[in-house]
Amino acid sequence: MAAGGTGGHMFPAQSLAEHMLRQGWRVKLSTDARGARYTGGFPHSTQIEQIASASFARGGIAAKLMAPLRIAAGTLAATWRMLRERPDVVIGFGGYPTIPALAAAWILRIPRAVHEQNGVLGRVNRLFAKHVDAVACGTWPTDLPEGVQGHYVGNPVRAAVAERAGAGYIPPGDYPISILVIGGSQGARILSDVVPPAIASLPMEILRNIRVAHQARGEDLERVGRYYAEHDIDADVQEFFRDVPRRMSEAQLVISRAGASSIADIAMIGRPSILIPYGAAAGDHQTANAQGLKEAGAAIIVPESRLDHTALAQQIETVMTHPEGAGQMARAALKCAVPDATQALAELIETIAQKGEG
């Protein structure tokens, strides 16, 4: 399997790896240095390799000119390894680090698939959509190229999330309450700019009970932590939480970007959420991701274009002062979960692999 360097790509890959290893498969993950940061939660028996790739969307002119050479080198290396190991099937989860593995599988005619987490195909998955045996979709409907048939399986969640599925929800009240803020690796800065002052402006009868767990970019850690401290808010600010499932299950409210994996986790555990879709997301796919929870009455969507600390504070206060409504949001989120997504994706992969044997 191959996955790009964000949690949105890596977490579904981790879920599939956990399942396939239990079924007796040998699993190898191909990623880049960014993706390697997320491999700590993968089962120890997963083989992990870093491979050369590049993006045409990042860096200066020199980096863009070098991108084809890096991709070609990564593809040659992946092809050589696959010639020796001859995998039964290759699946890509999106992101530019998947290009070498999928290209090598196409060259060698190895059965292959992609899994798209969002309602709009990412650049790499769109590039390969007509050159794979199956396109598995985590969100439905998914905008697919003409002539491409999608297979709706849902977005797999990690075992640590599945273990907390439907965890009991304690509505907000006059006692310690938790807010979890998760921004993802892209576009997290605006949450660091807006969320702390929004929370600080809440009425004191709410604020005195609040504890915040805020995931922020490394360059924002100090200022975010300092802001909370200066306003006497109990906050744990870290660059990456390795225990998001636990923190989410203990939260009364989740404030998050609308990445597909975050949406799947929120639905599986069942928590009220305020979702702020990433405005620069391709095809505005994060807004599409969030619609299901919103329409179910489980989430409030705040468009980035209308995000400021006053508007956000009003939405937080609405949830925190209506415990019955918050409980209804939690129950509605659970109804949006797809608990068998990992099993469905695994069955699709096994079917593709069997066709290759034939």
Side-chain angles (χ1 to χ4, degrees):
M1 59 177 61
T6 69
H9 300 312
M10 296 293 286
F11 292 151
Q14 178 182 329
S15 176
L16 183 64
E18 291 166 344
H19 179 88
M20 300 303 275
L21 286 165
R22 287 195 300 269
Q23 301 302 311
W25 286 66
R26 183 170 64 89
V27 176
K28 174 180 276 191
L29 170 70
S30 176
T31 188
D32 65 347
R34 290 175 65 226
R37 298 180 304 169
Y38 293 89
T39 58
F42 275 72
H44 294 307
S45 52
T46 307
Q47 295 177 255
I48 297 171
E49 64 179 16
Q50 291 188 37
I51 197 163
S53 188
S55 170
F56 293 95
R58 294 193 183 95
I61 295 175
K64 289 181 172 65
L65 290 174
M66 288 296 293
L69 296 177
R70 289 180 58 81
I71 291 171
T75 300
L76 285 173
T79 303
W80 175 248
R81 278 192 282 265
M82 288 186 193
L83 274 171
R84 287 182 295 140
E85 299 172 356
R86 205 66 193 185
D88 295 291
V89 63
V90 174
I91 177 169
F93 285 88
Y96 64 86
T98 67
I99 295 175
L102 288 171
W106 177 77
I107 291 169
L108 298 175
R109 296 299 183 261
I110 295 170
R112 55 207 175 274
V114 294
H115 178 273
E116 176 56 56
Q117 298 85 51
N118 303 294
V120 178
L121 288 181
R123 293 185 184 91
V124 175
N125 281 351
R126 184 167 292 276
L127 173 67
F128 282 98
K130 293 186 177 182
H131 306 286
V132 295
D133 298 287
V135 176
C137 302
T139 301
W140 199 258
T142 295
D143 180 21
L144 297 167
E146 186 176 352
V148 173
Q149 179 182 359
H151 301 265
Y152 177 50
V153 298
N155 278 311
V157 300
R158 296 159 288 162
V161 175
E163 288 168 1
R164 295 178 181 270
Y169 178 67
I170 301 174
D174 191 14
Y175 39 74
I177 51 181
S178 297
I179 296 177
L180 174 64
V181 184
I182 44 178
S185 58
Q186 290 185 320
R189 172 158 290 170
I190 194 171
L191 299 190
S192 293
D193 292 341
V194 176
V195 174
I199 292 175
S201 66
L202 292 170
M204 184 52 65
E205 60 266 26
I206 299 174
L207 190 58
R208 68 188 180 193
N209 290 321
I210 283 180
R211 297 172 299 178
V212 181
H214 188 133
Q215 189 168 283
R217 293 168 64 97
E219 57 266 34
D220 297 326
L221 285 176
E222 183 179 351
R223 70 178 178 89
V224 173
R226 184 171 62 249
Y227 188 97
Y228 282 124
E230 290 173 350
H231 290 80
D232 296 320
I233 298 170
D234 182 0
D236 181 6
V237 183
Q238 297 184 33
E239 185 173 2
F240 184 74
F241 291 131
R242 296 197 178 277
D243 57 349
V244 165
R246 177 187 67 80
R247 291 175 185 268
M248 189 176 290
S249 69
E250 295 173 355
Q252 276 67 47
L253 173 65
V254 178
I255 301 174
S256 176
R257 285 301 201 182
S261 288
S262 296
I263 296 286
D265 291 354
I266 290 168
M268 185 68 75
I269 294 174
R271 290 297 176 265
S273 59
I274 296 175
L275 302 174
I276 304 160
Y278 181 39
D284 196 23
H285 67 251
Q286 288 208 355
T287 297
N289 294 344
Q291 286 301 322
L293 286 180
K294 178 187 176 183
E295 292 171 4
I300 298 166
I301 297 178
V302 180
E304 191 173 295
S305 60
R306 298 207 297 269
L307 181 66
D308 59 46
H309 78 271
T310 301
L312 183 58
Q314 290 174 347
Q315 301 294 359
I316 296 172
E317 185 175 351
T318 296
V319 176
M320 291 302 177
T321 56
H322 294 84
E324 184 176 335
Q328 289 175 348
M329 291 177 74
R331 292 189 292 274
L334 283 173
K335 294 180 181 178
C336 296
V338 185
D340 61 348
T342 306
Q343 177 70 33
L345 179 58
E347 290 176 357
L348 178 63
I349 295 303
E350 289 171 348
T351 298
I352 294 170
Q354 288 169 1
K355 287 181 180 178
E357 292 173 1

